[in-house]
Amino acid sequence: MSEQLDAQLQRRQLSPDSVTRRLADYEARLGGLQADYSFLRSEFDRLAPQLSALEYRFERLRDRVGDDVADDGAALRQAQLEHERARIRLELASHYEERLRRLEGGAHA
């Protein structure tokens, strides 16, 4: 096996040091990608329940709007109002979490 690897390295004119550097670079990039994925996954896990609750509320609102409102303009205004309330709630939650992160970061420093 080692002979085959040495033969391939010679054919490609790569030194073992070059391969070691490339492997280290690959592993560093992989570690960065894993950290990015972990962050994105945690953000998804944090937002998923909130989005599910919003979807449920929008569905309830849609059903209620269908029953209560006769004209489309009033339904649109009501949906926009609900959307604005949901956006503000998510923004407040995001600011609160950011403040907590800064406080925790200061406590660990």
Side-chain angles (χ1 to χ4, degrees):
M1 179 80 160
S2 177
E3 294 168 3
Q4 290 175 347
L5 183 58
D6 289 337
Q8 286 180 358
L9 289 175
Q10 286 176 357
R11 274 198 311 259
R12 294 182 184 183
Q13 299 175 346
L14 296 174
S15 68
D17 291 336
S18 172
V19 172
T20 303
R21 281 193 311 272
R22 288 180 183 199
L23 181 59
D25 180 56
Y26 168 77
E27 289 174 352
R29 290 180 187 201
L30 180 61
L33 287 174
Q34 288 171 333
D36 290 345
Y37 173 78
S38 177
F39 171 76
L40 290 173
R41 182 63 197 193
S42 68
E43 287 297 297
F44 174 79
D45 290 343
R46 180 181 66 83
L47 290 174
Q50 295 174 21
L51 291 176
S52 295
L54 285 173
E55 287 175 351
Y56 174 75
R57 289 188 69 202
F58 283 135
E59 188 62 32
R60 278 188 27 226
L61 179 64
R62 189 179 68 121
D63 291 341
R64 200 170 67 216
V65 166
D67 295 340
D68 295 345
V69 180
D71 73 89
D72 291 338
L76 177 62
R77 282 189 300 278
Q78 198 170 10
Q80 287 172 336
L81 237 159
E82 185 67 23
H83 176 22
E84 181 66 16
R85 285 186 197 129
R87 187 191 63 74
I88 289 171
R89 283 188 192 109
L90 285 173
E91 190 174 313
L92 287 172
S94 177
H95 286 294
Y96 176 74
E97 287 179 349
E98 181 60 30
R99 254 187 13 228
L100 281 178
R101 275 188 219 140
R102 278 191 244 140
L103 288 172
E104 289 173 348
H108 293 306

